[in-house]
Amino acid sequence: MISEAVDLWDPEPGWLNTASYGLPPRPTIDAMHAALDEWRRGVAPWTTWDLSTGRARAAFARLVGVPVDTVAVGATVSGMLSVVGAALPAGARVVVPEIEFTSNLFPWLVHADRGVQIDTVPAGKLADMIDARTDLVSFSIVQSATGEIAAIDEIIAAARRHGALVVGDASQAAGWLPVEAARFDVLVCAGYKWLMTPRGAAFGYFSPAVWDRFRPLQANWYAGEDVPNSFYGPSMRLAASARRFDLSPAWFSYVGAAPSLELLTEIGVDAVRAHNVALANRFRAGVGLPPGDSAIVSSAIVSSAIISGDRPDAADRLAAAGVRAAVRHGRLRASFHLYTTEADVDRALDALA
Ligand SMILES: Cc1ncc(COP(=O)(O)O)c(C=O)c1O
């Protein structure tokens, strides 16, 4: 139940910026404090902290509905996508929305000099722009600046028709919107937003069909088939599964990731979605927008204020009222997660009134 679980968070009122970073529940902070204390005193082997990596991987797999051996752990979205970009042959064509967070754009653009063609197209036209020449389409399931939910069915159908790989970025979706990773060839997700992990934990679903297709460029001991026996020795012996794409983990990020993810799966994404969208719609109604379906609201309130001059201090007034939101493309971006309350929303609306 969200109403009970919410007692595990202690935000200062007015945090409307989970799209930048999510806030941890107390079990997450407690686990991190305990591990940091063990580190300080040198009383635990790293393998103790690493148990959390396995727990986080399993909870993420549950969250997006795939077997655990299809999930790799990493540190950033861009790092995980670098493996996919490097596998594109010269002359490959990649289609990406024209407004897209650059962690899902630069990993493709960096290959332009060897003849990889990147076409950035309007988000609403993504499915239409996939054709027989397309090798890969990559898009955010929820757009980070606008909160728009991508037309997943149409995009995947078009990609499958033309044999293009489908890469999804679930960083602004997983944790509040149900995500079925198995529909994608690769699905990446930063942990530090809606999954409420520390920065330094990211997850990647790699479908079995691509395991042999991508070179595990970050090959390391932790990605070995038998980790304790992968510390030394000349022969290459990476895991047969998606674990071959693992980065050796930032221990304390994963110590915090496990409790957050486990709590999230316990509460259930459907309940989180209902809660978040209801609050987003309360905010939308307050600023004169029709109801929407996203936990992220982009409102022209900041830019129109600047243009018309009638509310020159919209952003300042929010800040003065203790509301922490973001400005993206000259628009106010407010985001609502399970620890957000109606009082947080009303605080923002009062400041804007
Ligand atoms: C859609 C999306 N993907 C990825 C990221 C973060 O990427 P990285 O883990 O490479 O820093 C963000 C951060 O805002 C994002 O909004």
Side-chain angles (χ1 to χ4, degrees):
M1 285 290 294
I2 288 211
S3 51
E4 291 159 24
V6 147
D7 288 340
L8 296 172
W9 276 264
D10 320 284
E12 287 293 320
W15 180 252
L16 298 186
N17 205 5
T18 297
S20 285
Y21 69 85
L23 308 184
R26 267 195 310 284
T28 297
I29 293 297
D30 291 347
M32 291 177 78
H33 280 158
L36 290 175
D37 193 54
E38 289 166 350
W39 178 37
R40 183 174 64 83
R41 295 185 297 128
V43 294
W46 65 266
T47 44
T48 305
W49 306 321
D50 189 50
L51 295 174
S52 302
T53 314
R55 285 169 48 200
R57 189 200 308 269
F60 180 78
R62 269 201 308 285
L63 187 73
V64 298
V66 292
V68 72
D69 70 344
T70 60
V71 173
V73 295
T76 61
V77 160
S78 36
M80 298 199 108
L81 290 181
S82 67
V83 168
V84 186
L88 291 168
R93 177 175 183 251
V94 177
V95 180
V96 191
E98 63 190 358
I99 300 178
E100 182 67 20
F101 195 79
T102 45
S103 288
N104 180 27
L105 180 62
F106 288 179
W108 319 120
L109 280 176
V110 75
H111 295 284
D113 67 329
R114 57 178 189 87
V116 173
Q117 181 190 330
I118 295 91
D119 290 342
T120 52
V121 307
K125 293 256 186 295
L126 203 54
D128 297 339
M129 300 305 285
I130 298 167
D131 61 25
R133 293 173 305 126
T134 309
D135 294 280
L136 184 147
V137 57
S138 191
F139 62 98
S140 287
I141 293 174
V142 173
Q143 215 284 324
S144 71
T146 64
E148 271 172 47
I149 301 175
I152 300 174
D153 293 344
E154 288 95 81
I155 298 166
I156 293 180
R160 297 296 174 225
R161 242 185 345 267
H162 295 292
L165 285 174
V166 185
V167 177
D169 180 344
S171 301
Q172 297 287 4
W176 74 267
L177 186 69
V179 172
E180 294 174 78
R183 300 188 67 195
F184 297 79
D185 295 297
V186 176
L187 182 98
V188 287
C189 186
Y192 69 96
K193 297 173 186 289
W194 304 88
L195 306 184
M196 303 167 290
T197 80
R199 184 124 171 81
F203 302 88
Y205 161 78
F206 289 84
S207 87
V210 303
W211 291 351
D212 287 329
R213 208 166 148 174
F214 304 151
R215 189 183 294 270
L217 284 176
Q218 310 190 85
N220 66 87
W221 61 275
Y222 196 80
E225 179 67 49
D226 176 9
V227 175
N229 287 311
S230 298
F231 298 164
Y232 300 102
S235 64
M236 175 53 89
R237 44 196 195 275
L238 291 182
S241 68
R243 265 208 319 105
R244 64 175 59 186
F245 301 114
D246 274 7
L247 195 65
S248 48
W251 292 319
F252 304 112
S253 294
Y254 278 90
V255 164
S260 286
L261 272 155
E262 286 168 352
L263 191 55
L264 197 53
T265 56
E266 224 174 277
I267 295 169
V269 170
D270 289 333
V272 177
R273 178 191 201 170
H275 174 87
N276 294 7
V277 173
L279 289 175
N281 282 338
R282 184 182 181 93
F283 182 77
R284 292 179 73 92
V287 295
L289 291 170
D293 57 2
S294 183
I296 301 175
V297 178
S298 168
S299 143
I301 213 142
V302 171
S303 59
S304 68
I306 289 164
I307 292 161
S308 68
D310 61 347
R311 287 197 210 165
D313 58 347
D316 288 348
R317 277 192 290 159
L318 282 173
V323 176
R324 286 93 72 210
V327 177
R328 290 286 179 276
H329 291 291
R331 296 168 65 91
L332 176 71
R333 183 189 69 184
S335 41
F336 308 85
H337 206 8
L338 49 82
Y339 39 71
T340 317
T341 62
E342 290 187 349
D344 290 321
V345 176
D346 295 346
R347 174 186 287 254
L349 293 175
D350 288 347
L352 293 168

